[in-house]
Amino acid sequence: MSMQTNLSLSSQRTDNLAGIIDVPGDKSMSHRSLILGSLAIGTTKVTGLLEGADVLATADAMRALGVDITRHDDGTWVIVGQGLHGLVAPETALDLGNSGTGVRLLMGVVAGQAITATFTGDASLSVRPMARITDPLQQMGTHVASRDGGLLPVTITGQSEPMAISYESPVASAQIKSAILLAGLTARGDTEVIEPHASRDHTESMLRHFGATVEQTVRDDGTHHVQLHGGAQLIAADIAVPRDPSSAAFPMVAALLTKGSDITLPSIGMNPLRTGLITTLIEMGGDISILNPRDEGGEPVADLRVRHSDLHGINIPAERAASMIDEFPILSVAATQAYGTTIMNGVAELRVKETDRIKVMADGLIAAGAIVSYDDDTMTVTGGPIAGGMTVNSQHDHRIAMSFLTLGLISNAPVSVEGCETIHTSFPDFAKIMQNAGANIAETGS
């Protein structure tokens, strides 16, 4: 489905989802492919890149920073890297649209360059917290100017040799960690990030792929330490982007919940720091077969076969949250159809995503007839019938929109979702792809 504004979709009860569903390339790796390819010496070719609005915004930003990035007719992206010190100051502000990953990672990039850049975004991104990124960057010697509360627009003036720091992050966040590591590429000495537990590690893996030295250790107290050795050059290296497990979550849950369904999701990224939802759904009784495990582009991938299942509630440990942080909205939908109660711990980070995802999901699920409660760091859902028959505003959040469209597939009455245009940021053609598998999803009024 092409990108448009004010798109509303409606979904209704569906059975027998079937076939092969090709989900888009991994969003996290797509952002990083463009960024690290731009900072490397030589030409990098990327296949499987997610061509959603968020990633395209990152590509445009890298072009504005002086990088030659082109897309060939066969879908291959070619990046002519400028090296670690080759970026130029953009002539206008870098508009990252709705992309929290893009804006935060690029702040780290600019912090390690002797240039100044201003970052802007859409209405949703402009109320998301940036101080958690800019505070450690300031410790590295970066000059930062922003609105009160660290909000966009943010202007970053970087340094060609920022100070190497050891930063203890209060939360496990790949965005915080990645911004610091990207700034640390041009620092003298070693840059270290300490997390309470491990967040997704695509940045570390891809830095190694391009020739950097990165060490990851877990201490006796459970903290996760990542150390980047500064002063290295990045050398161009081709990348095959696996398919996004966060996008696969929606058809996966839809198939588990709808009677008679049997689908296959090929080439899904199986990085162990991204598979918390799969582990959780299997623990809940989900029939998910992991087939043909293999390595592609330095990352583990596998094909997933998913069939309708009777689920039961479980208590999900907080330490698993970082490996499924984007999947809690759709997990809460699955929990409405599980026998008993599902307790999701460690979800505070969801309250500073595109929206307060906990509140928005809880409010919508309750309006649909679900039994839900939550506090700052926990969400509890008790299974039962879903009445549906309501309209939800997605609050410009693509994962909220797709989660409620999935809910409509098992509701007694249709569910309408406003603001579905942001689905294009991560899963272009979501509605069309699900329709082809048998889902009843259509534009409102069509």
Side-chain angles (χ1 to χ4, degrees), residues 146-340:
S146 68
R147 284 196 295 139
D148 289 346
L151 302 179
L152 296 179
V154 172
T155 299
I156 300 280
T157 299
Q159 296 191 35
S160 60
E161 289 187 359
M163 290 182 287
I165 64 170
S166 178
Y167 181 73
E168 186 166 353
S169 179
V171 296
S173 166
Q175 292 179 358
I176 296 173
K177 174 177 62 178
S178 297
I180 296 169
L181 294 176
L182 289 169
L185 283 169
T186 56
R188 288 187 178 182
D190 296 345
T191 296
E192 182 182 45
V193 180
I194 304 166
E195 298 183 292
H197 46 271
S199 62
R200 60 182 64 175
D201 64 351
H202 297 304
T203 298
E204 296 94 308
S205 297
M206 294 182 72
L207 281 169
R208 292 191 194 97
H209 184 65
F210 282 93
T213 301
V214 183
E215 298 172 358
Q216 296 166 265
T217 57
V218 180
R219 301 290 171 86
D220 290 342
D221 61 0
T223 58
H224 187 76
H225 293 240
V226 179
Q227 190 173 60
L228 168 71
H229 298 289
Q233 287 188 335
L234 302 184
I235 305 300
D238 294 346
I239 298 172
V241 179
R243 297 184 188 272
D244 198 327
S246 295
S247 293
F250 302 99
M252 186 188 312
V253 169
L256 289 174
L257 301 188
T258 53
K259 292 181 180 179
S261 293
D262 187 345
I263 65 168
T264 299
L265 300 161
S267 301
I268 303 301
M270 296 295 288
N271 183 304
L273 293 174
R274 294 289 301 282
T275 54
L277 178 70
I278 296 172
T279 299
T280 298
L281 291 173
I282 291 173
E283 288 180 359
M284 294 173 73
D287 185 350
I288 302 173
S289 300
I290 299 172
L291 309 173
N292 190 24
R294 57 201 184 275
D295 252 27
E296 290 181 3
E299 287 273 341
V301 302
D303 307 325
L304 304 180
R305 184 180 181 187
V306 186
R307 289 173 278 196
H308 171 251
S309 306
D310 293 324
L311 303 181
H312 56 82
I314 63 171
N315 191 335
I316 303 163
E319 56 267 25
R320 190 180 295 170
S323 68
M324 54 186 294
I325 198 66
D326 286 330
E327 288 76 72
F328 277 106
I330 189 60
L331 175 62
S332 68
V333 171
T336 69
Q337 300 306 293
Y339 178 79

Side-chain angles (χ1 to χ4, degrees), residues 2 12 43 58 106 127 264 276 281 357 375 379 423-424:
S2 61
Q12 56 185 306
T43 299
T58 292
L106 286 174
V127 296
T264 299
L281 291 173
R357 283 180 173 163
D375 57 29
M379 184 177 187
I423 291 174
H424 194 79

